[in-house]
Structures are given as C-alpha cells and as structure tokens.
Amino acid sequence: MANKKTDAPAWVQELQSKYVAGVSHAFILHFNVADYVVPGASMRTYLAKLMAGRKIVAFYNRSDGITFALPSMRDEFVKLLDLQKPANPALAALAAAQGNQDQELPKAPSAALPLLARLLKMGKPDDKLAAVMIEHAETIVPSADIAMMSPEDRTLLVLVEQLGRDPEIMRSGNPVILLTANLTDLHQTIRAASSKFEAIRAPLPDQAARLEFIRQYREKNDKTTWKPTPEQLANATAGLSLIHIEDIFLRAEQEGSLTWDLVRERKQDIIASEFGEVLEVFDPHFGFEMIGGLEHVKKFFQRCVINPIRKNQLGLVPMGVLMTGPAGTGKTAMAEAVAKEAGINCVILNPARIFGKYVGDTERNLDRALYAILAMAPVLVFIDEIDQSVSRGASGDSGVSNRFFKRLMEFMSDTSHRGKVIFLAASNRPDLMDPALRRPGRFDKKIPFLIPDEAERESIFAVMAHKYELAIKTVPAECVQKADGWTGAEIELATVKSLEAVEYDGMLPEDALIYAVNNMRPSTADIEYMTLLALQECNERDLLPKKYQAEFDNKADLKKRIDQMAPAATRGKRDL
C-alpha cells in the first residue's frame, strides 16, 4: 500500500499516509462503506486494487467466510498456513466432489479469525505478504457489556483487539482493516486508542465526486431525457451516496426521462429510509415573499448568510444564529425562508429522535445525524425550542445526555464547518439555555424576533391574505389597529377564521377579516417578558430595529425589568 495516488478520495490518502508513516497497520473504515468508492468500484473492489501489490488479499465476513481478491491467492493461503490436510477428510472429499474447495475454510469467526491472525504475523514489511479486510465487523465485536457477552464473544473481542496491538503483526507490516457502517456499533475496546486501530471515516460523496459520477453515467447512458443538467443534479443530490444516485438513474431509464419530481421524490424517500429516524429533511417551499414584516431580520440574513453563501465568501457566514423572541413571531418560518433564499439544503435536528432506549443508541444516532449533515453541506440545520431540547441533562441517564451535549458542542464549534453547516435555533426562553451553548463560536449572532409594529402588521395581514387566497383589495385599517400587540401567528389565525366567515356566513372578505379580528382574543402568554429576554440576549446593536436600539445600551435597566417580571411570568406558565 503506497502513498502515490493524489487523485484518490481523501480518506484513502489518509489511510495510505498513516500506514506509510508507521502510525498504524490497523484501521477501522466506517460510515459510507457500502457505496462505490469511485464509479464502478465497490469498497471491496477498490480495496482489492489498493492492495494489489500483496501476495494475499483476504476478506472475511460471517456469511461468506474467508474469500480472496483472486482465486490463486487461496492456494497460496492454504500453502502458507499448511492447510492441505483438512481436519475433516469426509467434508473435504464431499467439497471436492461438489467442486467447491472453499468449504474447507471455516466460516465461523472463532475458527476463521485465528487463521487470518496467523497470516498477518508472517513475513516482513518488504515482503508485502498479506492484507486482511474484515467486513461487517460489528457482527463480530459488537458494542455490548462484557459481562453480558458469551465466552466465545469475549474470545473474539480479545482476538480482534490483538490484531491491532500484536508486536508480530506490527513487525510484519501486513495491514488489517475493519469495515462497519456505524463506528459506535463496534465494541468500545476496539475503538479505544489503546487498541492501536485508527478510525477513518469514509464520507458520503461531495459535490465534485457526485458530478464526476453523474457525468460518467450520462456519457454511457444517453438514451434517457434529462430535465436537470449534470451540475444541477450534483447539487440536488447532496446527502446521497453514488449507489443512491444510480438508483435514481435506473428509475429514470424505466420511465424514459429524468425529471425534477423524480429526483425530489427519490431523495426524500432515500434520506428518510437512511436517516429518517435521526433527521427530518425538507425542501423549503417559500422565501422572504411569504414573511410579513421582520425587515431587519431579512436584511441581516441577506447580508450575513445568503449573499456570502452565493458568493462563496464562507468566512463571512456565522457559525450559528440564535433567533429569540415570543412564540408566534415567525422564527420557524424564517428558517425555511432563509434556506429557500440561499438555495441550500435544510434539515431539522430534533434531539428527541436521537435519544435511544438501548445502550449506545444515542451516540450511534448522533454520529449518523452529524455525518449526514456534513454530507449535505452547504446545509442549514434548524433546532426548534433549543432551550428545552438541548441540555447537559441530569443524573440518572448514565451520562448519555452529557455525552450527547459534549459531542454536539464540539461539532457546532468546529470552524472547518463555517459556511458549510449553519445552525439556526429558535428559543423564547434563551435564559434557560446552557451558557456553553449560547457563546460566540456556536451562535455568533443572536437576533430578536419582536412583536410587529403597525406597518409590519399590515404587511403580515397582506401576506396571509395572499397565502390563504382571501380576496381583499386592501387590509382594513381597523384590523391593523385592533391587532396591536398581536404576534404573526395570531394574525394568521385571524385570517383563517375570516375564511370561515366568507365560506359559511357569506361575508365579504374585508368584512370577514374585521369580524375575525374582533372575534379573537390574543392567547400568547408572557409576551412582554419574552421580548425583554430577547432584547437582553441580542449581542449586536444593529440586529435590533431602530426603536429598540436604545435598550441595547441600558442593560442594567433591562435586567431590572426582567427580574421584576420573572415571578409573574413563572406563575403564568404554571397556570397554563
């Protein structure tokens, strides 16, 4: 295994460089190991070519037992290990009569792995004797409590661990690679640094890899009509493996054309089946045109997120944006609109989906979610009600919440993700968030969503009338005045109520809207308190509307008002 191919995938170059530098001879390849590495070459095929200079390239899994890159390698294996005389002559004779010599080699890991360990100990580095790949390694050394493992499983655990630390194998220079889809599915002993196994993630293909695959496939299969261009398709398939993209092509060939509807439908189905239990992926349906008011917020996102992404000025993009303010002020809708305006992928990260009931489930799910997020870059990650959904947790959950919190914090503060993964979070109680979560470097910008003023209320009424096809010519002034202090969500509800009056009572649209507004009582609790919290959390003056900017400098007065209102706000929440 030489470090020569600079055009090889990054993870291959990492494996080669670590092997050549003597960092390790034992590796764990994880995540996207069931995909094509390059067009037309599966992981097994690619690894066989990568190890082509070795006399024996062996693969093992529970189903197939020990197999080889070339048939001749089996004979060499049998000769080196002196296996010409099988332990069971009757079985050997039966296998020979059936023309299946492979049956002489054991399938059970307790018998097969010791043979592979013997092979790995043979020879010297210059001999380039052997390489061993163990597929579906999680079925051999699964993540489990040692006390609950059978004696055979414990033996296998020790045996696999020794593949990484055995001095004879180290001296031989024969590489061994474990393959698994989820790193956390492997026993923690194997994942530990003391095992000497180097974990390397095989990621989902990036935009360049997808585009190359798409172009090569297009050249060989030009009978299908394509609506998207290869470049558009490469962008649209972010988060999919090459095998998934091939699946789209095969369905398109069956239907005779590759359409945007087919791409969207298959992408949603594929991601739902692969990551649906840990992520919700959706296509934004509207942009800023469906957001009434909030002009200062739109301006901020246009300036700091949308334009830099479009111009590839990633250094200008904040690591994360925390949207604060009373419920119903448009935080969730804004996240979708920003994703639409920027033209990037959008996912919802809901920690409730990630926490599992079995040991290791939470860590496994979080890793899958974060790897999928990286593969979809550039991507907007939305976390709703973050003050309730992300915390360090308390005693009693065996430290799962703390580990989840720490891993997520590490990911969010990784500056290599700047401009590629943008976290947007919503909270009406930022005071309940962990200080480590709120700090710059995770949420660089904290922008308030406040109760709309008169002009903003008129804009929201107009947008909602358009959204629900309420045929008003102008927004009645009475509605705008009566809705003073209302949130956008309450204005939307009034618009929906007016549709009932038009449909069932025969009212004219303007009259129906006036009726609906006068018929409603605002229900959002603690608006003033949440507004003060949002103003207190804001970390830049120009993120505030002008009429609120004086509040930015008067922190002492703001804190005093919050402290005075806190008891009443707490009672209000209990009464609800």
Side-chain angles (χ1 to χ4, degrees):
M1 185 166 53
N3 194 3
K4 294 179 180 179
K5 295 184 178 180
T6 57
D7 59 339
W11 65 263
V12 176
Q13 296 181 46
E14 181 184 357
L15 187 150
Q16 290 175 317
S17 64
K18 287 184 175 180
Y19 176 81
V20 172
V23 173
S24 183
H25 68 283
F27 301 92
I28 302 171
L29 288 182
H30 62 100
F31 191 46
N32 191 35
V33 295
D35 195 13
Y36 295 126
V37 179
V38 294
S42 65
M43 180 64 74
R44 175 185 274 236
T45 302
Y46 190 91
L47 289 177
K49 291 182 179 179
L50 191 66
M51 306 293 177
R54 298 190 172 268
K55 296 177 182 178
I56 299 176
V57 179
F59 294 86
Y60 174 78
N61 63 57
R62 279 184 174 271
S63 174
D64 300 328
I66 303 173
T67 56
F68 301 90
L70 297 172
S72 60
M73 292 180 177
R74 181 187 179 280
D75 297 333
E76 186 69 20
F77 177 79
V78 170
K79 181 180 178 182
L80 276 175
L81 271 63
D82 194 23
L83 301 177
Q84 291 93 339
K85 296 180 180 180
N88 192 328
L91 288 178
L94 178 61
Q98 295 175 341
N100 185 7
Q101 297 293 334
D102 285 347
Q103 291 188 18
E104 293 181 15
L105 298 179
K107 281 189 177 182
S110 58
L113 291 183
L115 295 180
L116 295 174
R118 284 175 54 196
L119 173 67
L120 289 169
K121 293 177 183 180
M122 295 179 173
K124 299 176 182 179
D126 292 341
D127 296 338
K128 294 185 177 180
L129 178 64
V132 171
M133 274 65 73
I134 301 177
E135 301 167 313
H136 304 286
E138 73 280 1
T139 65
I140 298 168
V141 282
S143 179
D145 189 337
I146 290 180
M148 303 299 293
M149 297 172 71
S150 67
E152 181 182 355
D153 288 339
R154 294 179 195 175
T155 300
L156 289 174
L157 178 60
V158 173
L159 194 155
V160 173
E161 184 185 8
Q162 288 178 341
L163 295 181
R165 297 195 305 186
D166 190 291
E168 291 185 66
I169 299 178
M170 291 181 185
R171 284 193 295 269
S172 73
N174 295 322
V176 56
I177 301 175
L178 310 183
L179 293 100
T180 182
N182 295 305
L183 182 61
T184 50
D185 283 347
L186 291 181
H187 197 276
Q188 60 183 7
T189 301
I190 306 301
R191 291 183 275 128
S194 58
S195 72
K196 299 294 185 180
F197 276 92
E198 284 286 316
I200 296 176
R201 180 172 63 91
L204 288 166
D206 59 16
Q207 198 271 351
R210 295 193 302 273
L211 181 57
E212 180 185 1
F213 179 79
I214 290 167
R215 284 174 171 168
Q216 290 189 20
Y217 196 96
R218 178 65 168 157
E219 289 175 2
K220 296 177 182 178
N221 303 270
D222 58 356
K223 295 181 180 180
T224 306
T225 302
W226 282 30
K227 299 294 183 181
T229 66
E231 291 76 13
Q232 290 173 330
L233 192 57
N235 292 330
T237 52
L240 302 186
S241 68
L242 299 183
I243 285 181
H244 291 149
I245 297 174
E246 184 181 57
D247 172 78
I248 294 175
F249 291 152
L250 294 174
R251 292 172 186 270
E253 288 174 10
Q254 186 177 15
E255 296 183 10
S257 65
L258 180 61
T259 64
W260 279 115
D261 287 342
L262 174 62
V263 174
R264 281 191 288 266
E265 180 184 342
R266 286 305 300 155
K267 180 177 178 178
Q268 290 176 354
D269 290 346
I270 290 168
I271 291 183
S273 65
E274 293 285 344
F275 306 109
E277 72 274 21
V278 294
L279 284 177
E280 180 183 345
V281 182
F282 67 93
D283 288 326
H285 294 98
F286 58 83
F288 287 160
E289 77 282 352
M290 293 304 293
I291 303 290
L294 296 174
E295 294 305 319
H296 74 291
V297 179
K298 296 176 187 176
K299 181 180 178 181
F300 157 74
F301 278 114
Q302 192 74 49
R303 174 188 176 95
C304 296
V305 177
I306 297 167
N307 288 343
I309 288 176
R310 288 177 176 173
K311 297 177 181 178
N312 201 34
Q313 297 174 329
L314 304 186
L316 297 177
V317 182
M319 296 290 288
V321 179
L322 178 61
M323 302 180 291
T324 61
T329 48
K331 297 184 289 294
T332 302
M334 183 60 72
E336 183 169 353
V338 171
K340 180 71 171 180
E341 294 289 336
I344 61 176
N345 293 302
C346 187
V347 302
I348 296 175
L349 179 62
N350 183 356
R353 289 188 175 206
I354 292 175
F355 279 88
K357 59 183 178 179
Y358 298 111
V359 175
D361 276 357
T362 301
E363 291 85 348
R364 180 186 308 112
N365 291 340
L366 180 59
D367 278 348
R368 292 188 66 217
L370 298 183
Y371 292 156
I373 286 170
L374 280 177
M376 295 180 199
V379 60
L380 185 150
V381 182
F382 179 62
I383 307 177
D384 200 8
E385 297 182 332
I386 192 170
D387 53 282
Q388 299 178 41
S389 59
V390 178
S391 66
R392 295 179 190 268
S395 59
D397 65 355
S398 302
V400 172
S401 296
N402 281 329
R403 291 193 295 274
F404 171 90
F405 185 85
K406 181 181 178 182
R407 177 75 175 94
L408 182 60
M409 294 305 96
E410 290 173 351
F411 185 87
M412 292 179 66
S413 59
D414 187 339
T415 54
S416 68
H417 301 160
R418 185 180 290 275
K420 303 173 185 176
V421 179
I422 306 102
F423 278 88
L424 262 63
S427 172
N428 53 28
R429 289 296 305 272
D431 57 315
L432 301 181
M433 292 173 60
D434 192 293
L437 180 59
R438 291 156 53 192
R439 73 164 177 82
R442 295 192 175 109
F443 289 109
D444 296 338
K445 307 285 186 178
K446 302 170 185 177
I447 187 165
F449 283 60
L450 306 172
I451 298 302
D453 60 21
E454 183 175 338
E456 290 177 319
R457 293 196 299 275
E458 183 176 3
S459 174
I460 295 172
F461 270 116
V463 167
M464 292 304 157
H466 174 73
K467 177 179 179 180
Y468 291 103
E469 299 181 354
L470 180 67
I472 59 173
K473 295 180 180 179
T474 59
V475 178
E478 181 180 343
C479 294
V480 177
Q481 295 169 1
K482 183 72 175 179
D484 185 21
W486 287 22
T487 65
E490 290 164 339
I491 293 174
E492 181 173 11
L493 183 59
T495 307
V496 174
K497 177 67 177 177
S498 68
L499 289 176
E500 296 180 18
V502 171
E503 178 69 23
Y504 299 116
D505 301 324
M507 289 188 181
L508 295 174
E510 285 82 358
D511 294 337
L513 190 58
I514 294 172
Y515 162 76
V517 169
N518 285 294
N519 189 62
M520 280 185 56
R521 177 187 297 167
S523 58
T524 302
D526 303 329
I527 285 181
E528 186 177 356
Y529 181 62
M530 293 177 183
T531 298
L532 293 176
L533 289 174
L535 293 174
Q536 182 185 51
E537 192 65 30
C538 180
N539 61 340
E540 295 182 24
R541 182 188 289 104
D542 59 6
L543 296 181
L544 290 167
K546 288 185 178 180
K547 70 175 183 177
Y548 287 99
Q549 289 185 2
E551 304 271 9
F552 187 83
D553 297 318
N554 200 352
K555 293 184 178 179
D557 179 65
L558 192 60
K559 185 178 186 304
K560 181 179 178 181
R561 292 160 62 192
I562 290 173
D563 291 342
Q564 289 174 344
M565 294 189 66
T570 303
R571 286 196 301 273
K573 290 183 77 65
R574 281 201 297 265
D575 291 342
L576 290 176

